[in-house]
Amino acid sequence: MPELPEVETIRRGLQELIVGKIIKTVSSDTAATSSDMVKSFPNTPADVEQFIKKAKITDVRRRAKVLLIDLSTNYSLVIHLKMTGQLVFVGSGNRFGAGHPNDSLIGLLPDKSTRVVFDFTDDSHLYFNDQRKFGWVRLIPTAEVPDIDFMKKVGPEPLEADFTASGFAERFKRRSRTSIKAALLDQTVIAGVGNIYADESLWGAKIHPSTVVGDLSYSKFKLLYSEVRFVMNLSIDKGGSTNRNYVNAEGKKGSYMDFARVFRREGLPCPRCGTEIIKIRVAGRGTHICPNCQRGSR
DNA sequence: CACTTGACCTGTCCGC
DNA sequence: TGCGGACAGGTCAAGT
C-alpha cells in the first residue's frame, strides 16, 4: 500500500496521537485466525508481557516505508504496511469532538481486516488492519533495528537535505542493465519510491519507464532526482495518495490523487501536451505514461 | 552478482 | 446474478 509519503503522513499523525501513551494490552478479538496473527505479529505472549505491556510510547520514526514505534522498554515495534496495511488510532469516547472523522470510526474498528490491536491505558486504541495480510509487526530491541535485513539493504532517504543529485545518480550504477522503473522501485537503490511516485516522477522527467538505466544521461538523472523529491514532497503536503485502502492515522484519506498527472489516469489527456495517457506493463507493474512526452530518449 | 518472475492474500472489477 | 480471470500502493525467494 503506502509509499514513503503515505508512511510519513501516518508517522506524523501517530507522533501527535500516541507518543506518551502507555500500552495496556495487545490483542485481537476479531475474525483473524491465530495463524494470521502469528504471521502478522509473531512475538510470543511472554515478549508482549515483558516488553510491550506497560511500555510508554517514546517516539514514532520512519525509515523507507517502515514505521518504528519506540517503547520505553528499549524495544521498538517495527511495522511494514505492504499493500493494504493501515494503522488507525481511535480515541476514547468523543475524543475529537462530534463529527470529527476519527470519531466516526468508534464502533467500526476492529473489523474483519484488523490483525493487531493495541489498547492504551487511557482507553484509546491503535488498530493494525491489513486486508491482504502482507504487512507485519515485529518487536525488536531498538538497538538492533539497524541490523535487520531490510534496514541493512535499504537505500538512502530521497528527501534528506544532504541527498544530492549526484548521489542519486551514483546509486543507479548497480542496476545499469534494467529498466529505470524497476530500478526506481528497488528499495536497495533509493528508499521509499513505489508504483505511484515512480510513474509520476518519470512523467515529470519525461523518461519512458522502460528506458535502460545505463542509457540515461546525467542530466536526465538530475531531472529525475528533482521530480522524485517534488512529487513526494507534494504528496506529503496533500496527506498522501488514497488509491484504494490508504488512510492516515486518523482514518482519513489523502488527496494527492487529485494532483496526479498520469497515475490511474489512462484515457485522460496528458496535462503537458494533451496526448491520451496510456497504461502499459513495465517491471511487472501497471505503468502509466504519456506516449508523446515519454519516448525513452536519453 | 544482476535480473526476472512468481508467490504471498483478499477484494473488486470487468467481460461473458 | 454468477463465474473466471486479471489486477491492486510491496517485498521476497526462487529461478535463469
Side-chain angles (χ1 to χ4, degrees), chain A residues 5-269:
Chain A
E6 289 74 35
V7 179
E8 176 61 18
T9 301
I10 293 168
R11 187 200 70 75
R12 291 180 185 187
L14 291 178
Q15 179 89 43
E16 293 301 311
L17 293 164
I18 68 169
V19 169
K21 292 193 185 297
I22 296 165
I23 297 172
K24 185 166 64 181
T25 52
V26 181
S27 61
S28 170
D29 55 1
T30 72
T33 67
S34 62
S35 63
D36 288 339
M37 291 298 296
V38 167
K39 220 184 107 197
S40 298
F41 184 61
N43 294 87
T44 64
D47 285 346
V48 170
E49 187 68 29
Q50 188 171 359
F51 302 114
I52 301 187
K53 234 172 140 177
K54 297 182 183 170
K56 182 186 276 191
I57 310 289
T58 59
D59 201 4
V60 184
R61 297 179 289 142
R62 178 189 60 74
R63 176 74 172 98
K65 301 173 189 172
V66 171
L67 272 167
L68 304 165
I69 300 179
D70 295 331
L71 306 177
S72 55
T73 50
N74 293 323
Y75 272 67
S76 296
L77 292 161
V78 183
I79 303 171
H80 203 306
L81 302 171
K82 292 287 182 83
M83 299 281 262
T84 55
Q86 304 176 328
L87 274 176
V88 181
F89 176 84
V90 176
S92 57
N94 207 24
R95 182 187 181 285
F96 292 94
H100 190 283
N102 182 273
D103 278 347
S104 69
L105 293 169
I106 293 174
L108 297 182
L109 291 177
D111 65 19
K112 66 189 269 193
S113 75
T114 301
R115 314 240 83 81
V116 185
V117 181
F118 299 92
D119 299 310
F120 299 108
T121 54
D122 65 354
D123 203 30
S124 57
H125 315 274
L126 181 65
Y127 298 98
F128 172 65
N129 306 323
D130 187 13
Q131 185 178 93
R132 291 176 74 179
K133 304 180 185 175
F134 293 166
W136 45 259
V137 180
R138 302 279 183 277
L139 181 69
I140 295 172
T142 304
E144 294 176 18
V145 168
D147 300 331
I148 68 176
D149 275 356
F150 183 91
M151 293 297 178
K152 279 194 293 194
K153 290 192 212 153
V154 72
E157 289 288 323
L159 301 185
E160 289 291 298
D162 61 356
F163 187 60
T164 62
S166 61
F168 176 85
E170 185 70 22
R171 295 293 301 174
F172 286 86
K173 289 189 174 166
R174 57 166 64 194
R175 302 298 307 271
S176 62
R177 300 182 68 81
T178 192
S179 67
I180 184 62
K181 172 140 182 181
L184 265 179
L185 294 174
D186 181 345
Q187 299 298 292
T188 71
V189 175
I190 303 295
V193 181
N195 208 33
I196 298 175
Y197 306 106
D199 284 5
E200 289 288 291
S201 59
L202 287 166
W203 178 88
K206 299 188 184 177
I207 299 169
H208 193 286
S210 299
T211 310
V212 173
V213 171
D215 289 346
L216 284 167
S217 64
Y218 181 59
S219 68
K220 277 295 187 191
F221 274 116
K222 280 200 290 190
L223 260 179
L224 185 57
Y225 160 84
S226 298
E227 288 298 325
V228 166
R229 288 164 59 109
F230 170 76
V231 296
M232 286 195 167
N233 279 318
L234 175 62
S235 184
I236 291 170
D237 194 48
K238 302 301 175 190
S241 297
T242 297
N243 184 8
R244 303 178 60 90
N245 297 280
Y246 166 74
V247 292
N248 70 13
E250 295 183 14
K252 290 192 255 182
K253 297 176 176 186
S255 67
Y256 177 85
M257 291 299 281
D258 296 341
F259 300 83
R261 289 86 49 94
V262 287
F263 190 79
R264 298 258 310 187
R265 295 181 62 78
E266 59 269 34
L268 296 170

